[in-house]
Amino acid sequence: MGKDESSTADLLQAVAREGEKLQANERRNFLKQGLLLAGGALSGAAVPGAALAGESNLPPNVPPWTKSLGSGVLTNPYGKPSPYESHIVRRNVPWLTADKIASISFTPLAELSGIITPSSLVFERYHAGVPPIDPAQHRLMIHGMVDRPIILSVDDLKRFPSTSVIRFIECPANGGMEWRAAQMDALQFTHGMISCCEWTGVLLSTLLQEVGIKKDAAWVLAEGADGSHMSRSIPMDKALDDALIVYAQNGEPLRPEQGYPIRLMNPGWEGNTSVKWLRRLEIGDEAWYHREETSKYTDLLADGRARKFSYVQECNSVVTFPCPEKPLTERGRYEVQGLAWSGEGKIKRVDVSFDGGMNWRPARLKGLVLPKALTRFGLEWDWDGGPAMIQSRAVDETGYVQPTYTQLREARGNSSIYHKNAIHTWRLHDSGKVSNVQIS
Ligand SMILES: Nc1nc2c(c(=O)[nH]1)N[C@H]1C(S)=C(S)[C@@H](COP(=O)(O)O)O[C@H]1N2
Ligand SMILES: [Mo]
């Protein structure tokens, strides 16, 4: 390419010309490769170049989009995914809730890479829908057992020193439909009530320092501005540890679905405690025992008593490839992948089994391994075309090992809904199809 080819259009044309020359030269090699690829497939057609027939946009041909100009800047002032990816969306289970106001939608885990959940795909959980809050008319009141009660605007909040963390939020009902038997034949529905975002805001401890808490203060009540007035009692230890009042998610203002303009974020704890559309924090000396910590979000045990305040989301994991949405298409080498997480800290280790838990192989932890965040794991595996029972088992930095269903039921009985973190099994059929089964 000449130095004087200055305009972008010229540059693109030059690139296309270079490409054409290259393709003409290397046509023979491309054809050889095409044959190789076709031969590798189970049903490989043994005709040289057959894989290319009818595929006029594949090499060595030059597709029309390489020979023309594309759309310009600001075609989408707020960007959106390729239309070819329009199947990557949140979905709900229509029979699960009576309406869409007090309901839930699920993150499409099978379609995601890395550990960050794009804001548009974060699962939604509302008790009374999304309130259309005008941030200029929203305030956070901090009162109760404090020396100096305050009412903060969103702008006031942003004047405090901020911090950013990558942490998961998981609804404790994640997998709740699976307590008694395998039911949902999709990863999106067995594990999709979890997300992992970068959250930015102010440490709750900073705000509590500002108001000054009284000597006997032991609890914080967080209340939302939505029609459900959702409220939870948070022990002071957590409030002073890593609880945050956040106003940004993945670098931009919180989405309305996630609590715009501000939400409480309790890293590692059941999502229900991360009160959205936060309007009030009351400091007290006892828990409030509101609806969401008595009639709901308690765990009925085998002896008829209910476990209360089960705040932490314990260590859990799931294989995300293969899974019902992502079957295998041909035998050969794959990277089996999955996600692990623990509300207690970092993931230390993940093992994968292909025979329903009889033998285990250590997986590799990939990319960032952060506390209370999704952690991706991978393991190369040669599929021989036979059936398999694929499982993952995570261990966190406290040494806690993800339980089997038998261990979980021994500890918790069979009447729970929340906090199901048992080892999950995908049954791989010899067709490559994957289905949800349960092994105790
Ligand atoms: N004010 C308010 N906060 C709320 C809720 C709600 O309905 N109202 N739902 C809770 C529940 S049950 C969960 S699991 C999380 C879900 O967070 P997300 O919708 O951002 O994924 O928000 C919690 N905070
Ligand atoms: Mo939840």
Side-chain angles (χ1 to χ4, degrees), residues 320-375:
T320 60
F321 177 78
C323 70
E325 294 98 314
K326 296 279 173 194
L328 300 184
T329 47
E330 56 187 83
R331 70 185 64 174
R333 175 147 301 191
Y334 289 94
E335 186 185 37
V336 171
Q337 282 200 19
L339 292 166
W341 61 97
S342 167
E344 298 280 13
K346 288 183 186 171
I347 290 298
K348 191 171 73 184
R349 175 190 177 105
V350 180
D351 295 297
V352 174
S353 175
F354 296 95
D355 55 12
M358 288 190 290
N359 296 286
W360 295 93
R361 286 170 55 186
R364 195 161 39 88
L365 304 186
K366 297 159 67 79
L368 293 173
V369 179
L370 300 171
K372 307 177 188 182
L374 289 181
T375 298

Side-chain angles (χ1 to χ4, degrees), residues 61-83:
N61 298 325
V62 179
W65 50 78
T66 308
K67 293 187 274 195
S68 59
L69 300 178
S71 51
V73 296
L74 296 183
T75 303
N76 294 305
Y78 193 91
K80 49 187 173 189
S82 158

